[in-house]
Amino acid sequence: MNLLRTLLAAAALACATAASAQSFPTKPIRIVVGFPAGGPLDQHARLLSDKLQGVLGQPVVMDYKSGAGGTVGAQEVMKSPADGHTIMLANTGVMVINPALYSKLPYATLKDFVPVARTAMQPLALLVNPNVPAKNLQEFMAYAKARPGQVNFGSAGNGGISHLVPEMFKSATGLFMVHIPYRGSAPAFTDLMAGQVQFMAESIPQAASYHKQGKVRALAVTSRERNPALPDVPTVIESGIKGFEVVGFYGFLAPAGTPKDVVNKLSDAFGQVLQMPEVRSRMVSQGADPAFLGADEFARFLAAEMPRWAEVVKKSGAKLD
């Protein structure tokens, strides 16, 4: 009798789960972005949401909950009903850097969320002020090596990817450069063009635009392959630093406890959107490479990335409360 009850309960649960997945979504999908409107994450979310609502058959609305490096938005999603109707678009910082950077982070990526889909990879470009007499990365390394502690690099702030990528470059080359943190990418980039800092790692769209204008010089890109926006700029690996591949990424997460079938339905929808040629071409123009991973693959990817970035944060000495 107990076995029969157990089997009946399991069957009922399976039927309920299947029914929830078949009926999902029953209302608009809310995408929470933990950064202000108008930035790269917002552009990415809007590009995908326009097509996502056609695939899922429900409106997709954006909700901006900015603050504390994306932490405010993450908490909003973490506390939302685990029914798939509220999901978060997050970047490398929110998912894998913040857990190592903040000593009192109110969420744990792989405990409080379930991965839905990775949607993009975003390489950076290594840039110098045009007055730096280096035409390629090897020449810059020789220049910096001859001036230990005299070359400054700017970043958008302590612990962000624009800080940590140069730290990884320093570790790989043994160079001694001084970090100058700014309150955002824009003032750091302004000082790079003015020569107040000599080196910076920046996202491809801005790097490509100002490189073509001659206001900065792109020496290398951090992806494994060259970027279409900077076709004549070699990769760091091509430039002689073996194995140096550092690429940021975007992905969607749902609250922990979201039914697996609902997660899979969302993941499949993102996969369909990322196959659309117009979406892929616009993503590339925004400096992000389409790079879909389904829910299970994305979970494995995050589990591998977290210790890697934790080690980078530890070596950099960056720590925030």
Side-chain angles (χ1 to χ4, degrees):
M1 185 64 70
N2 288 337
L3 177 60
L4 179 60
R5 289 197 191 98
T6 301
L7 291 174
L8 289 173
L13 178 62
C15 290
T17 301
S20 70
Q22 288 171 5
S23 62
F24 173 83
T26 58
K27 58 184 180 181
I29 303 294
R30 181 170 67 121
I31 296 178
V32 175
V33 179
F35 297 90
L41 268 187
D42 180 33
Q43 290 181 353
H44 188 67
R46 289 182 181 278
L47 172 60
L48 299 187
S49 65
D50 288 344
K51 302 296 183 182
L52 191 65
Q53 58 189 17
V55 175
L56 291 173
Q58 286 283 354
V60 178
V61 297
M62 309 300 300
D63 192 0
Y64 304 97
K65 301 289 184 181
S66 62
T71 299
V72 173
Q75 285 184 279
E76 173 75 14
V77 175
M78 179 180 71
K79 296 175 182 178
S80 297
D83 58 8
H85 290 97
T86 297
I87 58 178
M88 169 174 67
L89 172 58
N91 59 12
T92 314
V94 173
M95 289 183 274
V96 298
I97 295 178
N98 281 0
L101 186 64
Y102 286 87
S103 58
K104 298 178 181 178
L105 195 68
Y107 66 86
T109 302
L110 295 177
K111 174 177 173 286
D112 295 314
F113 303 97
V114 55
V116 173
R118 189 188 73 183
T119 52
M121 300 291 277
Q122 191 174 43
L124 289 84
L126 303 185
L127 310 172
V128 292
N129 177 274
N131 292 327
V132 174
K135 303 300 182 184
N136 55 56
L137 197 59
Q138 286 292 335
E139 290 183 5
F140 174 73
M141 289 162 57
Y143 175 84
K145 186 176 181 180
R147 298 164 178 80
Q150 298 177 41
V151 175
N152 298 330
F153 73 91
S155 80
N158 281 313
I161 195 168
S162 63
H163 170 204
L164 297 179
V165 168
E167 293 289 354
M168 296 171 81
F169 177 66
K170 285 169 57 180
S171 295
T173 59
L175 296 176
F176 173 33
M177 297 188 292
V178 179
H179 176 219
I180 309 296
Y182 289 80
R183 299 184 69 176
S185 177
F189 203 83
T190 297
D191 270 10
L192 175 69
M193 291 188 290
Q196 300 300 316
V197 295
Q198 293 77 47
F199 182 80
M200 189 173 173
E202 182 55 271
S203 63
I204 294 290
Q206 180 156 268
S209 175
Y210 286 95
H211 170 78
K212 290 170 183 175
Q213 296 175 42
K215 295 182 179 180
V216 298
R217 183 181 302 121
L219 301 181
V221 293
T222 63
S223 49
R224 183 166 292 275
E225 298 178 351
R226 294 194 182 197
N227 191 277
L230 290 167
D232 298 326
V233 177
T235 67
V236 178
I237 295 173
E238 282 182 271
S239 303
I241 303 178
K242 186 178 179 180
F244 193 99
E245 179 186 10
V246 189
V247 183
F249 56 91
Y250 295 158
F252 288 82
L253 307 173
T258 302
K260 179 64 174 174
D261 286 350
V262 170
V263 170
N264 287 341
K265 191 167 185 178
L266 282 168
S267 184
D268 290 344
F270 281 113
Q272 291 180 50
V273 170
L274 286 169
Q275 288 300 316
M276 298 177 181
E278 65 270 32
V279 171
R280 297 178 69 86
S281 63
R282 283 190 61 193
M283 280 179 64
V284 171
S285 71
Q286 292 175 357
D289 298 328
F292 175 74
L293 286 180
D296 292 339
E297 292 176 298
F298 188 29
R300 289 191 289 269
F301 173 83
L302 287 175
E305 286 289 294
M306 293 189 75
R308 180 190 185 203
W309 285 99
E311 182 63 22
V312 174
V313 170
K314 181 178 178 181
K315 286 183 177 179
S316 74
K319 206 69 180 174
L320 297 176
D321 291 322

